[in-house]
Amino acid sequence: MEIAQLIKQLGSTPKNAAAVFSEHRTLWQSLSFNQTQVALWLASLPLNNQQKESSAAYQVTPDIAAHLVSLLQQAGGRMPLALVLKKLPAGITTSEQQIRKLAQQHAQLDIKGPLLILLN
């Protein structure tokens, strides 16, 4: 199924992010989307296509740490900070210093020189 078809389908039969993610898992895997990213995508749809749940359910605060862990898993466990900044979700702006601070506070992340490292 293509995204355009899915948008049309959602316009006639709204579903929540978990349902959309599980029912179209192959599509999301091909796009490398996780469930949080699907929720963000649903939140970005025009109002007439959004789900009929309260809008508060779609005000998703992206979990940057989870996104960083996912990026590092895909990249083999390490990635230059400069590249990490370029691979953040759309609309998210942060600095290298903020990512360094986040890595210090997160159990799975560490900084080694210019690299962000995923710890086991």
Side-chain angles (χ1 to χ4, degrees):
M1 173 177 280
E2 291 184 38
I3 293 286
Q5 293 171 323
L6 180 57
I7 291 171
K8 277 186 179 181
Q9 180 186 19
L10 291 172
S12 60
T13 50
K15 298 177 182 171
N16 66 28
V20 171
F21 182 75
S22 66
E23 291 173 12
H24 304 282
R25 191 172 298 273
T26 306
L27 171 66
W28 303 123
Q29 286 176 343
S30 72
L31 296 170
S32 298
F33 272 36
N34 61 33
Q35 188 168 336
T36 302
Q37 291 167 313
V38 171
L40 289 169
W41 175 77
L42 284 171
S44 73
L45 293 177
L47 266 161
N48 61 344
N49 288 325
Q50 278 190 3
Q51 282 48 44
K52 293 182 179 178
E53 295 179 16
S54 71
S55 61
Y58 288 96
Q59 293 177 358
V60 178
T61 303
D63 183 354
I64 295 174
H67 182 74
L68 294 176
V69 169
S70 175
L71 274 177
L72 292 172
Q73 287 170 340
Q74 293 171 9
R78 51 183 58 216
M79 184 180 285
L81 278 170
L83 184 58
V84 169
L85 288 170
K86 293 178 183 177
K87 294 200 174 254
L88 290 174
I92 300 297
T93 53
T94 189
S95 68
E96 186 175 316
Q97 292 79 16
Q98 289 171 318
I99 291 180
R100 286 180 181 275
K101 185 176 180 181
L102 177 65
Q104 290 171 346
Q105 297 170 349
H106 196 277
Q108 289 183 280
L109 301 173
D110 194 16
I111 300 287
K112 301 265 184 186
L115 298 175
L116 183 62
I117 307 289
L118 180 64
L119 303 173
N120 293 330

